Amino acid sequence: MIDRMSRRRLLQSAGAGVVTAAASPLLGATAAQNAHRLPPGFLWGAATAGHQVEGGNVNSDSWVSEHLTPSAFAEPSGDACDSWNRWREDIDIVKRIGLNTYRFGIEWSRIEPERGEWSLAALAHYRQMLEYCAKLGLRAMVTYSHFTVPRWFAAAGGWEEAANVDPFVRFCEKAARALGTGYSHALTFNEPNLAAQLSWQPDFRQAMSLFAMGNAAAARMVGSDRFSSTLTANPARVVPNQIAAHHRAVEAIKTIRPDLQLGLSLAMADEQAAAGDSALERKIAAVYTPWFDAVKKDDFVGVQTYGRNIVGRDADLPPPPQVERTQTGMEFYPEALEATVKWVARATGRPIIVTENGVATADDKRRVVYIDRALAGLGRAMASGVDVRGYIHWSLLDNFEWNRAYTAQFGLVSVDRQTFARTVKPSALHLGRYAADNRL
Ligand code: BGC
């Protein structure tokens, strides 16, 4: 628990060892004072991920884990938002709310449901989505791998096996050929550093025993003793393989699409040292440094930020009791975005696209506040010289929030769980106004 004094010290040293003082409303800067005109090609978008919105993604590793007893998941993904069928409506909404970019994921387990068996229909589906974005004048960003993998890949040891880099590169080649030229940006991986980052959270450490039981049960279910699911795998074994996979996938995709802006996204919290003893440097070396080195030749780095972590002696500390928390238990702290884009720019020297930023809340007014404060911070970062080329909000839809299932609402748009009817929230129109003004 952090007392008042340490909390003040903590705010004063915000971003210690990582960034210069984190932006804070305490500094008194307003969005108006920092109004920053953006270049015409700035990306204003909203994001989804295949498994979280499509529904019926039965050949993925997550589907297996969701159906175990006991399961770490509050409920299975089921039909999710039925975006497999309603994707036109989703893209129409992106356009209607005034954004210019849609980021979505392609599901490897639909494209290659069994090793070497390719679904031409699934590839055609994603190509149609891209063609429809182009028809509406929207830019598209494609995520090749957003956590989930085919169950045959997980059964073969998943990312823990170096030999499994090859099938991933083949999938990227196949997809890059089939998708055509209807997208300008792509990510190989979404947040490959997330498991390492989460391993510093006490709650997640507790849940690991459930995950380990889950992996063992999943192994029995798929008839393999090597089942390894992306989010619950051992980061020490996974990271070297995913770094190799990223580099080889970039090479393969660029051979087919040399014009594509290509990178990966990182889970970036504003990491701050707790007063007294803190393992901040050790955490940064484990969670971030390998990836900062890995992206140094990429076209851009995707920054994905939700809040800050206060790093204690060997784990993150829980937020102090008096702070506002979001539905996922994090502190409501939109200022983290300014700190993380500055940090990533300094650590990698690459241009930045914010590929996710958002808040889990049932109160859409708090989302509006979150957006205003996050964008004010982004404006300050840009005014200080950081090369930021886009802001993509997480998420377009209230969707399947992994182990929390449907209990956390990140969407600019709500989805009726019975009828799948979409309702645009005021926060969506609020973000659309920023896009129309094209200034921060
Ligand atoms: C992930 C999303 C997730 C979001 C909110 C990010 O870590 O990329 O899949 O829904 O955070 O938790």
Side-chain angles (χ1 to χ4, degrees):
M1 196 144 319
I2 304 172
D3 62 25
R4 260 172 164 223
M5 265 310 287
S6 353
R7 169 125 185 106
R8 192 167 330 125
R9 270 203 304 275
L10 200 148
L11 278 172
Q12 283 161 355
S13 69
V18 181
V19 287
T20 49
S24 153
L26 302 177
L27 300 179
T30 66
Q33 281 166 333
N34 285 294
H36 185 92
R37 188 180 294 280
L38 299 167
F42 193 83
L43 305 180
W44 285 102
T48 58
H51 190 72
Q52 292 178 269
V53 299
E54 286 177 351
N57 192 12
V58 298
N59 292 313
S60 71
D61 59 334
S62 186
W63 189 272
V64 174
S65 306
E66 291 160 29
H67 289 84
L68 301 171
T69 315
S71 167
F73 291 80
E75 66 177 288
S77 49
D79 287 323
C81 304
D82 192 29
S83 291
W84 183 254
N85 298 306
R86 293 166 199 260
W87 57 269
R88 270 193 196 80
E89 192 181 341
D90 295 342
I91 295 172
D92 284 339
I93 293 172
V94 175
K95 178 74 182 174
R96 185 146 44 91
I97 62 186
L99 303 177
N100 62 28
T101 302
Y102 185 38
R103 173 188 166 212
F104 65 92
I106 54 172
E107 272 298 314
W108 182 7
S109 65
R110 284 188 186 269
I111 293 173
E112 193 181 4
E114 295 294 340
R115 187 191 284 264
E117 286 184 26
W118 303 94
S119 165
L120 300 181
L123 287 166
H125 171 99
Y126 293 121
R127 186 179 175 124
Q128 274 171 25
M129 287 179 70
L130 293 170
E131 286 168 356
Y132 192 62
C133 287
K135 185 174 160 206
L136 297 191
L138 293 173
R139 283 174 172 257
M141 177 182 286
V142 171
T143 313
Y144 275 66
S145 175
H146 196 124
F147 300 148
T148 44
V149 293
R151 64 161 88 189
W152 59 261
F153 181 86
W159 290 113
E160 297 190 48
E161 293 292 334
N164 288 340
V165 172
D166 283 348
F168 178 69
V169 177
R170 269 198 297 280
F171 153 69
C172 291
E173 272 166 3
K174 192 85 175 179
R177 281 214 172 81
L179 291 177
T181 54
Y183 61 115
S184 53
H185 293 74
L187 302 168
T188 56
F189 288 111
N190 177 75
E191 297 188 347
N193 65 329
L194 180 66
Q197 190 195 59
L198 289 176
S199 72
W200 284 76
Q201 292 184 5
D203 290 358
F204 190 80
R205 284 184 188 170
Q206 261 173 17
M208 279 313 280
S209 56
L210 194 58
F211 289 143
M213 271 162 57
N215 279 350
R220 285 195 295 279
M221 195 192 254
V222 299
S224 151
D225 57 1
R226 292 195 295 163
F227 185 89
S228 171
S229 185
T230 309
L231 282 175
T232 57
N234 174 356
R237 292 177 61 102
V238 165
V239 170
N241 297 332
Q242 284 195 324
I243 289 178
H246 172 64
H247 289 142
R248 288 188 48 203
V250 165
E251 204 184 318
I253 298 168
K254 284 271 186 174
T255 306
I256 298 157
R257 283 288 312 276
D259 57 317
L260 193 64
Q261 291 289 298
L262 189 54
L264 55 74
S265 68
L266 293 176
M268 294 299 316
D270 180 2
E271 302 286 355
Q272 303 180 2
D277 213 359
S278 169
L280 180 66
E281 280 178 25
R282 188 154 56 85
K283 179 177 183 185
I284 288 171
V287 177
Y288 300 101
T289 309
W291 289 103
F292 289 158
D293 293 341
V295 301
K296 288 218 165 108
K297 292 195 182 134
D298 289 354
D299 297 318
F300 68 94
V301 185
V303 169
Q304 308 199 160
T305 295
Y306 291 88
R308 69 171 157 185
N309 294 320
I310 310 300
V311 187
R313 203 172 36 209
D314 71 348
D316 297 343
L317 302 183
Q322 70 275 19
V323 303
E324 176 181 353
R325 290 193 188 215
T326 74
Q327 286 172 321
T328 61
M330 289 191 84
E331 179 185 356
F332 183 96
Y333 187 69
E335 286 67 32
L337 188 61
E338 177 182 2
T340 57
V341 296
K342 285 180 172 169
W343 176 19
V344 174
R346 207 181 52 213
T348 68
R350 307 314 301 147
I352 307 287
I353 298 177
V354 178
T355 42
E356 284 184 26
N357 176 242
V359 60
T361 176
D363 178 358
D364 194 53
K365 291 195 187 73
R366 297 307 291 156
R367 195 180 330 279
V368 168
V369 172
Y370 190 96
I371 289 172
D372 282 343
R373 281 168 47 184
L375 290 180
L378 194 65
R380 287 191 292 273
M382 291 181 77
S384 79
V386 179
D387 180 2
V388 181
R389 304 197 175 168
Y391 175 86
I392 299 177
H393 193 82
W394 183 269
S395 174
L396 178 67
L397 304 175
D398 286 341
N399 61 41
F400 180 69
E401 178 53 26
W402 305 110
N403 56 319
R404 289 190 174 80
Y406 299 101
T407 62
Q409 284 89 47
F410 279 96
L412 296 166
V413 174
S414 67
V415 177
D416 185 294
R417 299 275 352 115
Q418 302 303 315
T419 65
F420 306 107
R422 274 78 166 135
T423 306
V424 171
K425 301 180 192 176
S427 56
L429 303 174
H430 188 71
L431 183 62
R433 281 191 287 275
Y434 276 98
D437 287 353
N438 203 33
R439 59 169 65 226
L440 290 171

